[in-house]
Amino acid sequence: MRKKVLVAAVLLLSVAVLIWANASGGLPAAGRRDTAQGPAGAPLVRVQTVSRQNLQQEVVAPGVLQASTAHELRAPFSTKSVKLLVGIGDRVEEGQVVAVLDASDLALQVSAQEAQVAQLEAQLSSLYLQQQQAPLQLDQRLEQARAQLLQAEDNLASVLRQDDALRTRLEQARINLTTLQNRSAEGAAATETARKNLLSAEEAYRADPSTPSRRAAYEQAKAAYEEALTKSRDSAAQAAAQLRAAYDELAAAEADYARVSGDNPVAVQLASSQVQAARLALQMAEMEAQAGGTMAEQVRAAELNLQATRSALESLRGKLEQAELKAPAAGTVLAVSVTDGLPAQEMQLLLTIGGLDELKVVVQVDELDIVKVRPGQALSVETNAAPGEVFSGRVTRVAAQATMGGGGSPYFVVEGSVANRADLLRAGVNAEVVIATAERENVIVVPLAAVREQNGEASVLVVEEFTVRVRPVNVGLRTETEVEITEGVEEGEQIVVSPFTLINSLKDGDPVRVETLREAGGEGR
């Protein structure tokens, strides 16, 4: 700010002076001026002797001072009242008590939590005692489940054996019935054969009754039929009784087998279900034994509950210990956000303490200058709060993203640190910041106005025996008023520095009258 305004003022004043000088035919001296020398009638120029100097390139920008470190002290718990022991601007030491919070309600919560912890500890001790007795009970439960499985498997084997016996009985009853049925069929077949023989012999006899052989054959067939019929009747009566008995046995065997197996195996299904249930019970008993039983789960749950309750107690105790709020670091009270004696909610901001021995300056650098700024560069700060005082510091951080200003112009935020010499600086005040972006030591330096640039080439006007020599030069570091010449002129040579209208119009070989510019206390730049 200050430097830009000063440079602009100097340039405006120089322009006004040069216009006046051109109009009046003379040049006013800023310092002591020698008498002009040179050919009569030649244009009058002001020259300066080339010298070596230190050149510093600077970026000037507005900034704001802030505390380098800011610690926010918040209420660790809700309180009925806050007693403040410090005020804004007070310096505090690390660990100093700065406020006291009413902790009566919190103390009651701590007492209640302690009682709950004691109760849970007693419950856990009881569970530990029960857990010591649990293995015996688990072993007994496991042996009982194994015995029940063995009994169920024996019962199923017995039912299956009975099933085999009944199946054998049923098959035998069916065989006996089939045998009797076959016998009855054989007797009927013999009777039928005798009847057919009788009918054949009878037919032959009736065809020729006088033949004795046919009569004898008829009588013999008749006797055989009657004998077969008698036997068939006797065997049929006997077979009928046997068949009834066989049918009764088959019906009884089928009924017994159907009860145990057959289409409705109730006994087998029931025995199998009992075996499956016993196996499941054994698996559950084994799993419970491996896991230590339900008692182990109860113990683990009780341990976790006690651990959580103890953690809550420690948290409450920690808050209670913070009833006396202490400064986390040495510094100055920057802000007080609560009224003395009034209540505060948990996490409500109470005080802000910051370090002012070294301040942070936040600078708004124009987008045209940001490419010159790097961390580590030296900077200086001036404020209206400490007029005439210059404070030194360093650039610490350069933003990579631009911020839009209120007028729509982008700028980049640059941060730096500044030593607060004699505690003259205050956080929150505006500042003018000068950043030294580059520096050259013991180099040829000439006024920027003395260099003319045409078609991308730079040159200066060197005066030798009142004659202009256009000398091409290579330029280095530039500032708003000066430039480094790396090649083209030597120390001690004289160059034209004004008026600017002649600098741009004089040609190589033109004669000039010379007036040497000297500053008070030595040659100027």
Side-chain angles (χ1 to χ4, degrees), residues 236-276:
Q238 183 179 4
Q242 292 177 346
L243 283 173
R244 280 195 298 271
Y247 277 121
D248 292 341
E249 172 62 16
L250 177 61
E254 286 179 342
D256 290 341
Y257 184 74
R259 177 177 55 80
V260 175
S261 180
D263 297 332
N264 184 25
V266 177
V268 175
Q269 289 182 356
L270 179 59
S272 298
S273 299
Q274 291 174 348
V275 170
Q276 292 176 357

Side-chain angles (χ1 to χ4, degrees), residues 297-331:
E297 294 297 331
Q298 294 178 18
V299 169
R300 280 192 287 270
E303 288 174 341
L304 292 175
N305 190 17
L306 178 58
Q307 181 180 355
T309 307
R310 282 174 174 169
S311 297
L313 175 59
E314 291 303 317
S315 177
L316 290 175
R317 286 174 174 171
K319 290 181 178 180
L320 187 60
E321 292 176 356
Q322 299 176 49
E324 288 188 345
L325 210 59
K326 298 179 181 180

Side-chain angles (χ1 to χ4, degrees), residues 240-423:
Q242 292 177 346
L243 283 173
R244 280 195 298 271
Y247 277 121
D248 292 341
E249 172 62 16
L250 177 61
E254 286 179 342
D256 290 341
Y257 184 74
R259 177 177 55 80
V260 175
S261 180
D263 297 332
N264 184 25
V266 177
V268 175
Q269 289 182 356
L270 179 59
S272 298
S273 299
Q274 291 174 348
V275 170
Q276 292 176 357
R279 286 175 179 168
L280 181 60
L282 178 58
Q283 291 176 358
M284 295 296 293
E286 289 174 343
M287 290 173 59
E288 188 176 356
Q290 292 175 358
T294 57
M295 181 57 62
E297 294 297 331
Q298 294 178 18
V299 169
R300 280 192 287 270
E303 288 174 341
L304 292 175
N305 190 17
L306 178 58
Q307 181 180 355
T309 307
R310 282 174 174 169
S311 297
L313 175 59
E314 291 303 317
S315 177
L316 290 175
R317 286 174 174 171
K319 290 181 178 180
L320 187 60
E321 292 176 356
Q322 299 176 49
E324 288 188 345
L325 210 59
K326 298 179 181 180
T332 303
V333 179
L334 302 179
V336 177
S337 305
V338 67
T339 303
D340 185 46
L342 292 185
Q345 298 300 316
E346 185 173 357
M347 296 309 296
Q348 180 179 337
L349 181 61
L350 305 181
L351 298 167
T352 302
I353 297 175
L356 298 182
D357 293 336
E358 186 176 73
L359 294 177
K360 178 171 72 173
V361 59
V362 181
V363 191
Q364 297 181 6
V365 176
D366 189 89
E367 60 179 335
L368 299 177
D369 295 326
I370 192 61
V371 294
K372 306 173 187 175
V373 182
R374 297 285 185 273
Q377 292 173 340
L379 60 80
S380 61
V381 171
E382 294 184 51
T383 69
N384 292 331
E389 299 288 342
V390 180
F391 302 87
S392 300
R394 290 279 175 185
V395 175
T396 57
R397 213 175 258 108
V398 179
Q401 174 70 39
T403 301
M404 295 303 297
S409 299
Y411 63 87
F412 287 80
V413 175
V414 175
E415 295 181 4
S417 61
V418 181
N420 189 4
R421 188 180 70 255
D423 290 335

Side-chain angles (χ1 to χ4, degrees), residues 22 26 34 45 89 139 152 178 200 226 232 249 257 270 274 276 344 358 373 402 423 452 476 494 500 520:
N22 287 333
D34 295 339
V45 296
D139 290 341
T178 302
S200 179
E226 289 177 352
S232 174
E249 172 62 16
Y257 184 74
L270 179 59
Q274 291 174 348
Q276 292 176 357
E358 186 176 73
V373 182
D423 290 335
R452 67 182 188 182
Q494 290 188 324
F500 68 89

Side-chain angles (χ1 to χ4, degrees), residues 63-120:
V64 177
L65 293 174
Q66 298 179 358
S68 57
T69 56
H71 302 279
E72 293 184 343
L73 276 67
R74 298 180 178 273
F77 54 87
S78 297
T79 179
K80 295 177 181 178
S81 65
V82 178
K83 182 180 180 181
L84 296 175
L85 304 182
V86 295
I88 295 177
D90 290 348
R91 289 191 61 85
V92 297
E93 299 299 327
E94 182 179 356
Q96 178 180 337
V97 178
V98 295
V100 178
L101 282 62
D102 185 330
S104 55
D105 291 344
L106 185 60
L108 292 177
Q109 295 180 33
V110 170
S111 298
Q113 196 75 4
E114 289 174 342
Q116 186 175 1
V117 167
Q119 181 180 0
L120 291 177

